[in-house]
mmCIF file of all heavy atoms in Angstrom:
data_model
loop_
_atom_site.group_PDB
_atom_site.id
_atom_site.type_symbol
_atom_site.label_atom_id
_atom_site.label_comp_id
_atom_site.label_asym_id
_atom_site.label_seq_id
_atom_site.Cartn_x
_atom_site.Cartn_y
_atom_site.Cartn_z
ATOM 1 N N PHE Q 82 -8.393 4.425 22.935
ATOM 2 C CA PHE Q 82 -7.260 4.847 22.023
ATOM 3 C C PHE Q 82 -6.859 6.341 22.217
ATOM 4 O O PHE Q 82 -5.733 6.662 22.093
ATOM 5 C CB PHE Q 82 -7.694 4.670 20.567
ATOM 6 C CG PHE Q 82 -6.756 5.072 19.627
ATOM 7 C CD1 PHE Q 82 -5.579 4.296 19.212
ATOM 8 C CD2 PHE Q 82 -6.762 6.330 18.924
ATOM 9 C CE1 PHE Q 82 -4.596 4.653 18.277
ATOM 10 C CE2 PHE Q 82 -5.838 6.712 18.072
ATOM 11 C CZ PHE Q 82 -4.769 5.946 17.688
ATOM 12 N N PHE Q 83 -7.860 7.149 22.548
ATOM 13 C CA PHE Q 83 -7.672 8.542 22.721
ATOM 14 C C PHE Q 83 -7.257 8.975 24.109
ATOM 15 O O PHE Q 83 -6.818 10.040 24.357
ATOM 16 C CB PHE Q 83 -8.871 9.387 22.206
ATOM 17 C CG PHE Q 83 -9.041 9.104 20.694
ATOM 18 C CD1 PHE Q 83 -10.132 8.203 20.320
ATOM 19 C CD2 PHE Q 83 -8.399 9.844 19.730
ATOM 20 C CE1 PHE Q 83 -10.339 8.043 19.031
ATOM 21 C CE2 PHE Q 83 -8.679 9.588 18.378
ATOM 22 C CZ PHE Q 83 -9.631 8.713 17.949
ATOM 23 N N THR Q 84 -7.670 8.084 25.034
ATOM 24 C CA THR Q 84 -7.395 8.402 26.457
ATOM 25 C C THR Q 84 -6.133 7.826 27.094
ATOM 26 O O THR Q 84 -5.654 8.241 28.022
ATOM 27 C CB THR Q 84 -8.554 8.021 27.311
ATOM 28 O OG1 THR Q 84 -8.806 6.667 27.217
ATOM 29 C CG2 THR Q 84 -9.788 8.832 26.921
ATOM 30 N N LYS Q 85 -5.553 6.696 26.396
ATOM 31 C CA LYS Q 85 -4.424 6.045 26.906
ATOM 32 C C LYS Q 85 -3.293 6.270 26.012
ATOM 33 O O LYS Q 85 -3.330 5.903 24.806
ATOM 34 C CB LYS Q 85 -4.696 4.571 26.942
ATOM 35 C CG LYS Q 85 -5.872 4.134 28.037
ATOM 36 C CD LYS Q 85 -5.955 2.692 28.108
ATOM 37 C CE LYS Q 85 -7.001 2.386 29.174
ATOM 38 N NZ LYS Q 85 -7.241 0.855 29.399
ATOM 39 N N PRO Q 86 -2.069 6.892 26.527
ATOM 40 C CA PRO Q 86 -0.999 7.284 25.677
ATOM 41 C C PRO Q 86 -0.311 6.095 24.923
ATOM 42 O O PRO Q 86 0.205 6.249 23.928
ATOM 43 C CB PRO Q 86 -0.142 7.950 26.663
ATOM 44 C CG PRO Q 86 -0.984 8.255 27.790
ATOM 45 C CD PRO Q 86 -2.004 7.328 27.853
ATOM 46 N N LEU Q 87 -0.484 4.885 25.428
ATOM 47 C CA LEU Q 87 0.160 3.716 24.979
ATOM 48 C C LEU Q 87 -0.236 3.585 23.389
ATOM 49 O O LEU Q 87 0.587 3.226 22.537
ATOM 50 C CB LEU Q 87 -0.221 2.401 25.671
ATOM 51 C CG LEU Q 87 0.119 1.087 25.052
ATOM 52 C CD1 LEU Q 87 1.624 0.954 25.092
ATOM 53 C CD2 LEU Q 87 -0.569 -0.010 25.838
ATOM 54 N N TYR Q 88 -1.515 3.757 23.144
ATOM 55 C CA TYR Q 88 -1.989 3.498 21.838
ATOM 56 C C TYR Q 88 -1.667 4.561 20.696
ATOM 57 O O TYR Q 88 -1.122 4.194 19.776
ATOM 58 C CB TYR Q 88 -3.525 3.355 21.833
ATOM 59 C CG TYR Q 88 -4.038 2.176 22.821
ATOM 60 C CD1 TYR Q 88 -4.865 2.425 23.815
ATOM 61 C CD2 TYR Q 88 -3.584 0.874 22.516
ATOM 62 C CE1 TYR Q 88 -5.298 1.340 24.572
ATOM 63 C CE2 TYR Q 88 -4.018 -0.124 23.324
ATOM 64 C CZ TYR Q 88 -4.806 0.078 24.361
ATOM 65 O OH TYR Q 88 -5.198 -0.949 25.195
ATOM 66 N N TRP Q 89 -1.771 5.825 21.194
ATOM 67 C CA TRP Q 89 -1.491 6.798 20.106
ATOM 68 C C TRP Q 89 -0.022 7.132 20.044
ATOM 69 O O TRP Q 89 0.421 7.569 18.973
ATOM 70 C CB TRP Q 89 -2.375 8.094 20.353
ATOM 71 C CG TRP Q 89 -2.375 8.774 21.729
ATOM 72 C CD1 TRP Q 89 -3.235 8.499 22.676
ATOM 73 C CD2 TRP Q 89 -1.330 9.688 22.298
ATOM 74 N NE1 TRP Q 89 -2.977 9.244 23.827
ATOM 75 C CE2 TRP Q 89 -1.759 9.964 23.582
ATOM 76 C CE3 TRP Q 89 -0.187 10.276 21.769
ATOM 77 C CZ2 TRP Q 89 -1.062 10.762 24.466
ATOM 78 C CZ3 TRP Q 89 0.579 10.996 22.683
ATOM 79 C CH2 TRP Q 89 -0.021 11.302 23.941
ATOM 80 N N ILE Q 90 0.723 6.762 21.032
ATOM 81 C CA ILE Q 90 2.194 6.867 20.946
ATOM 82 C C ILE Q 90 2.619 5.808 19.941
ATOM 83 O O ILE Q 90 3.459 6.090 19.042
ATOM 84 C CB ILE Q 90 2.875 6.664 22.264
ATOM 85 C CG1 ILE Q 90 2.637 8.003 23.054
ATOM 86 C CG2 ILE Q 90 4.397 6.351 22.123
ATOM 87 C CD1 ILE Q 90 3.199 7.805 24.507
ATOM 88 N N ASN Q 91 2.189 4.601 20.065
ATOM 89 C CA ASN Q 91 2.529 3.528 19.070
ATOM 90 C C ASN Q 91 1.912 3.770 17.758
ATOM 91 O O ASN Q 91 2.579 3.339 16.734
ATOM 92 C CB ASN Q 91 2.092 2.115 19.644
ATOM 93 C CG ASN Q 91 2.990 1.731 20.817
ATOM 94 O OD1 ASN Q 91 4.217 1.477 20.701
ATOM 95 N ND2 ASN Q 91 2.431 1.651 21.940
ATOM 96 N N ALA Q 92 0.873 4.430 17.632
ATOM 97 C CA ALA Q 92 0.280 4.784 16.352
ATOM 98 C C ALA Q 92 1.234 5.812 15.681
ATOM 99 O O ALA Q 92 1.537 5.706 14.503
ATOM 100 C CB ALA Q 92 -1.089 5.346 16.436
ATOM 101 N N TRP Q 93 1.777 6.705 16.434
ATOM 102 C CA TRP Q 93 2.627 7.778 15.823
ATOM 103 C C TRP Q 93 3.945 7.017 15.459
ATOM 104 O O TRP Q 93 4.502 7.329 14.411
ATOM 105 C CB TRP Q 93 2.999 8.778 16.900
ATOM 106 C CG TRP Q 93 4.011 9.713 16.416
ATOM 107 C CD1 TRP Q 93 5.264 9.930 16.890
ATOM 108 C CD2 TRP Q 93 3.857 10.733 15.380
ATOM 109 N NE1 TRP Q 93 5.921 10.876 16.214
ATOM 110 C CE2 TRP Q 93 5.148 11.359 15.240
ATOM 111 C CE3 TRP Q 93 2.818 11.109 14.568
ATOM 112 C CZ2 TRP Q 93 5.289 12.434 14.375
ATOM 113 C CZ3 TRP Q 93 3.079 12.060 13.607
ATOM 114 C CH2 TRP Q 93 4.242 12.771 13.483
ATOM 115 N N ARG Q 94 4.451 6.056 16.232
ATOM 116 C CA ARG Q 94 5.648 5.323 15.823
ATOM 117 C C ARG Q 94 5.372 4.505 14.532
ATOM 118 O O ARG Q 94 6.288 4.508 13.727
ATOM 119 C CB ARG Q 94 6.026 4.315 16.925
ATOM 120 C CG ARG Q 94 6.603 4.953 18.168
ATOM 121 C CD ARG Q 94 6.643 3.913 19.295
ATOM 122 N NE ARG Q 94 7.328 2.796 19.066
ATOM 123 C CZ ARG Q 94 8.675 2.530 19.240
ATOM 124 N NH1 ARG Q 94 9.366 3.467 19.722
ATOM 125 N NH2 ARG Q 94 9.076 1.373 18.966
ATOM 126 N N SER Q 95 4.210 3.939 14.302
ATOM 127 C CA SER Q 95 3.919 3.262 13.199
ATOM 128 C C SER Q 95 3.861 4.198 11.961
ATOM 129 O O SER Q 95 4.373 3.853 10.887
ATOM 130 C CB SER Q 95 2.545 2.472 13.289
ATOM 131 O OG SER Q 95 2.527 1.500 14.322
ATOM 132 N N LEU Q 96 3.244 5.396 12.016
ATOM 133 C CA LEU Q 96 3.279 6.335 11.079
ATOM 134 C C LEU Q 96 4.625 6.811 10.727
ATOM 135 O O LEU Q 96 4.952 6.964 9.473
ATOM 136 C CB LEU Q 96 2.395 7.573 11.345
ATOM 137 C CG LEU Q 96 0.924 7.254 11.492
ATOM 138 C CD1 LEU Q 96 0.075 8.509 11.990
ATOM 139 C CD2 LEU Q 96 0.343 6.950 10.192
ATOM 140 N N THR Q 97 5.474 7.085 11.729
ATOM 141 C CA THR Q 97 6.869 7.419 11.448
ATOM 142 C C THR Q 97 7.637 6.319 10.677
ATOM 143 O O THR Q 97 8.323 6.670 9.753
ATOM 144 C CB THR Q 97 7.603 7.783 12.745
ATOM 145 O OG1 THR Q 97 6.858 8.689 13.443
ATOM 146 C CG2 THR Q 97 9.055 8.191 12.540
ATOM 147 N N LEU Q 98 7.350 5.062 11.072
ATOM 148 C CA LEU Q 98 8.044 4.017 10.422
ATOM 149 C C LEU Q 98 7.531 3.906 8.932
ATOM 150 O O LEU Q 98 8.323 3.687 7.997
ATOM 151 C CB LEU Q 98 7.730 2.669 11.109
ATOM 152 C CG LEU Q 98 8.314 1.374 10.470
ATOM 153 C CD1 LEU Q 98 9.793 1.383 10.559
ATOM 154 C CD2 LEU Q 98 7.664 0.166 11.045
ATOM 155 N N GLY Q 99 6.222 4.117 8.773
ATOM 156 C CA GLY Q 99 5.678 4.106 7.360
ATOM 157 C C GLY Q 99 6.326 5.169 6.489
ATOM 158 O O GLY Q 99 6.667 4.966 5.260
ATOM 159 N N PHE Q 100 6.427 6.413 7.043
ATOM 160 C CA PHE Q 100 7.096 7.515 6.244
ATOM 161 C C PHE Q 100 8.477 7.155 5.971
ATOM 162 O O PHE Q 100 9.007 7.418 4.822
ATOM 163 C CB PHE Q 100 6.947 8.826 6.987
ATOM 164 C CG PHE Q 100 5.584 9.422 7.005
ATOM 165 C CD1 PHE Q 100 4.828 9.649 8.132
ATOM 166 C CD2 PHE Q 100 4.921 9.797 5.822
ATOM 167 C CE1 PHE Q 100 3.585 10.230 8.112
ATOM 168 C CE2 PHE Q 100 3.703 10.341 5.725
ATOM 169 C CZ PHE Q 100 2.984 10.512 6.892
ATOM 170 N N THR Q 101 9.180 6.622 6.996
ATOM 171 C CA THR Q 101 10.679 6.399 6.795
ATOM 172 C C THR Q 101 10.811 5.329 5.692
ATOM 173 O O THR Q 101 11.780 5.483 4.837
ATOM 174 C CB THR Q 101 11.275 5.862 8.096
ATOM 175 O OG1 THR Q 101 11.087 6.920 9.083
ATOM 176 C CG2 THR Q 101 12.771 5.685 7.970
ATOM 177 N N VAL Q 102 10.207 4.239 5.772
ATOM 178 C CA VAL Q 102 10.291 3.199 4.888
ATOM 179 C C VAL Q 102 9.919 3.638 3.421
ATOM 180 O O VAL Q 102 10.592 3.332 2.475
ATOM 181 C CB VAL Q 102 9.570 1.852 5.310
ATOM 182 C CG1 VAL Q 102 9.554 0.850 4.167
ATOM 183 C CG2 VAL Q 102 10.024 1.369 6.578
ATOM 184 N N THR Q 103 8.726 4.416 3.385
ATOM 185 C CA THR Q 103 8.329 4.850 2.052
ATOM 186 C C THR Q 103 9.321 5.775 1.335
ATOM 187 O O THR Q 103 9.589 5.623 0.236
ATOM 188 C CB THR Q 103 6.922 5.416 2.196
ATOM 189 O OG1 THR Q 103 6.017 4.600 2.785
ATOM 190 C CG2 THR Q 103 6.361 5.826 0.763
ATOM 191 N N LEU Q 104 9.837 6.731 2.164
ATOM 192 C CA LEU Q 104 10.765 7.741 1.593
ATOM 193 C C LEU Q 104 12.076 7.001 1.203
ATOM 194 O O LEU Q 104 12.627 7.246 0.211
ATOM 195 C CB LEU Q 104 11.080 8.701 2.798
ATOM 196 C CG LEU Q 104 12.036 9.820 2.326
ATOM 197 C CD1 LEU Q 104 11.469 10.622 1.131
ATOM 198 C CD2 LEU Q 104 12.356 10.751 3.501
ATOM 199 N N THR Q 105 12.462 6.003 2.081
ATOM 200 C CA THR Q 105 13.751 5.264 1.589
ATOM 201 C C THR Q 105 13.540 4.488 0.378
ATOM 202 O O THR Q 105 14.343 4.421 -0.488
ATOM 203 C CB THR Q 105 14.135 4.291 2.760
ATOM 204 O OG1 THR Q 105 14.143 5.046 4.032
ATOM 205 C CG2 THR Q 105 15.441 3.682 2.537
ATOM 206 N N CYS Q 106 12.386 3.906 0.208
ATOM 207 C CA CYS Q 106 12.077 3.081 -0.994
ATOM 208 C C CYS Q 106 12.002 4.022 -2.166
ATOM 209 O O CYS Q 106 12.433 3.680 -3.359
ATOM 210 C CB CYS Q 106 10.767 2.354 -0.836
ATOM 211 S SG CYS Q 106 10.760 0.904 0.224
ATOM 212 N N PHE Q 107 11.514 5.264 -2.071
ATOM 213 C CA PHE Q 107 11.438 6.220 -3.161
ATOM 214 C C PHE Q 107 12.877 6.671 -3.518
ATOM 215 O O PHE Q 107 13.204 6.703 -4.732
ATOM 216 C CB PHE Q 107 10.614 7.410 -2.732
ATOM 217 C CG PHE Q 107 10.583 8.465 -3.738
ATOM 218 C CD1 PHE Q 107 9.983 8.399 -5.025
ATOM 219 C CD2 PHE Q 107 11.275 9.641 -3.577
ATOM 220 C CE1 PHE Q 107 10.031 9.394 -5.904
ATOM 221 C CE2 PHE Q 107 11.395 10.697 -4.468
ATOM 222 C CZ PHE Q 107 10.770 10.559 -5.697
ATOM 223 N N VAL Q 108 13.680 7.010 -2.483
ATOM 224 C CA VAL Q 108 14.983 7.403 -2.797
ATOM 225 C C VAL Q 108 15.780 6.347 -3.519
ATOM 226 O O VAL Q 108 16.622 6.711 -4.397
ATOM 227 C CB VAL Q 108 15.668 7.802 -1.429
ATOM 228 C CG1 VAL Q 108 17.164 8.235 -1.733
ATOM 229 C CG2 VAL Q 108 15.028 9.133 -0.875
ATOM 230 N N LEU Q 109 15.623 5.117 -3.079
ATOM 231 C CA LEU Q 109 16.420 4.040 -3.785
ATOM 232 C C LEU Q 109 15.747 3.485 -5.047
ATOM 233 O O LEU Q 109 16.386 3.125 -5.986
ATOM 234 C CB LEU Q 109 16.526 2.814 -2.801
ATOM 235 C CG LEU Q 109 17.409 3.123 -1.475
ATOM 236 C CD1 LEU Q 109 17.328 1.880 -0.621
ATOM 237 C CD2 LEU Q 109 18.788 3.534 -1.821
ATOM 238 N N GLY Q 110 14.412 3.539 -5.025
ATOM 239 C CA GLY Q 110 13.698 2.754 -6.056
ATOM 240 C C GLY Q 110 13.522 3.786 -7.344
ATOM 241 O O GLY Q 110 13.570 3.207 -8.510
ATOM 242 N N TYR Q 111 13.291 5.037 -7.139
ATOM 243 C CA TYR Q 111 13.102 5.911 -8.293
ATOM 244 C C TYR Q 111 14.279 5.954 -9.249
ATOM 245 O O TYR Q 111 14.150 5.709 -10.515
ATOM 246 C CB TYR Q 111 12.589 7.286 -7.844
ATOM 247 C CG TYR Q 111 12.073 8.029 -8.970
ATOM 248 C CD1 TYR Q 111 10.713 8.078 -9.367
ATOM 249 C CD2 TYR Q 111 12.892 8.927 -9.825
ATOM 250 C CE1 TYR Q 111 10.193 8.799 -10.439
ATOM 251 C CE2 TYR Q 111 12.421 9.668 -10.869
ATOM 252 C CZ TYR Q 111 11.145 9.584 -11.120
ATOM 253 O OH TYR Q 111 10.659 10.336 -12.225
ATOM 254 N N PRO Q 112 15.580 6.171 -8.732
ATOM 255 C CA PRO Q 112 16.667 6.147 -9.692
ATOM 256 C C PRO Q 112 16.861 4.913 -10.390
ATOM 257 O O PRO Q 112 17.287 4.822 -11.474
ATOM 258 C CB PRO Q 112 17.800 6.582 -8.712
ATOM 259 C CG PRO Q 112 17.136 7.337 -7.612
ATOM 260 C CD PRO Q 112 15.826 6.648 -7.351
ATOM 261 N N ALA Q 113 16.606 3.783 -9.614
ATOM 262 C CA ALA Q 113 16.729 2.460 -10.211
ATOM 263 C C ALA Q 113 15.718 2.214 -11.291
ATOM 264 O O ALA Q 113 16.094 1.677 -12.424
ATOM 265 C CB ALA Q 113 16.539 1.355 -9.134
ATOM 266 N N ALA Q 114 14.582 2.665 -11.191
ATOM 267 C CA ALA Q 114 13.493 2.612 -12.140
ATOM 268 C C ALA Q 114 13.817 3.457 -13.337
ATOM 269 O O ALA Q 114 13.568 3.036 -14.506
ATOM 270 C CB ALA Q 114 12.144 2.955 -11.572
ATOM 271 N N LEU Q 115 14.376 4.707 -13.113
ATOM 272 C CA LEU Q 115 14.761 5.589 -14.201
ATOM 273 C C LEU Q 115 15.864 4.976 -15.077
ATOM 274 O O LEU Q 115 15.923 5.056 -16.293
ATOM 275 C CB LEU Q 115 15.210 6.975 -13.554
ATOM 276 C CG LEU Q 115 15.524 8.079 -14.561
ATOM 277 C CD1 LEU Q 115 14.335 8.505 -15.346
ATOM 278 C CD2 LEU Q 115 16.098 9.287 -13.766
ATOM 279 N N LEU Q 116 16.840 4.390 -14.385
ATOM 280 C CA LEU Q 116 18.004 3.686 -15.069
ATOM 281 C C LEU Q 116 17.411 2.618 -16.038
ATOM 282 O O LEU Q 116 17.865 2.483 -17.109
ATOM 283 C CB LEU Q 116 19.012 3.168 -14.237
ATOM 284 C CG LEU Q 116 19.924 4.264 -13.402
ATOM 285 C CD1 LEU Q 116 20.884 3.620 -12.407
ATOM 286 C CD2 LEU Q 116 20.794 4.988 -14.427
ATOM 287 N N LEU Q 117 16.557 1.763 -15.371
ATOM 288 C CA LEU Q 117 15.932 0.563 -16.140
ATOM 289 C C LEU Q 117 15.169 1.106 -17.408
ATOM 290 O O LEU Q 117 15.278 0.505 -18.458
ATOM 291 C CB LEU Q 117 15.057 -0.209 -15.273
ATOM 292 C CG LEU Q 117 15.714 -1.192 -14.408
ATOM 293 C CD1 LEU Q 117 14.734 -1.876 -13.326
ATOM 294 C CD2 LEU Q 117 16.421 -2.328 -15.169
ATOM 295 N N ALA Q 118 14.417 2.199 -17.147
ATOM 296 C CA ALA Q 118 13.467 2.552 -18.204
ATOM 297 C C ALA Q 118 14.207 3.332 -19.294
ATOM 298 O O ALA Q 118 13.744 3.226 -20.521
ATOM 299 C CB ALA Q 118 12.328 3.407 -17.614
#
Side-chain angles (χ1 to χ4, degrees):
F82 177 82
F83 298 99
T84 56
K85 296 182 178 179
L87 169 69
Y88 299 121
W89 48 265
I90 287 176
N91 286 294
W93 176 249
R94 286 165 56 88
S95 296
L96 289 175
T97 305
L98 179 66
F100 284 120
T101 304
V102 173
T103 305
L104 180 62
T105 307
C106 287
F107 172 73
V108 171
L109 297 176
Y111 191 89
L115 186 62
L116 288 173
L117 277 174

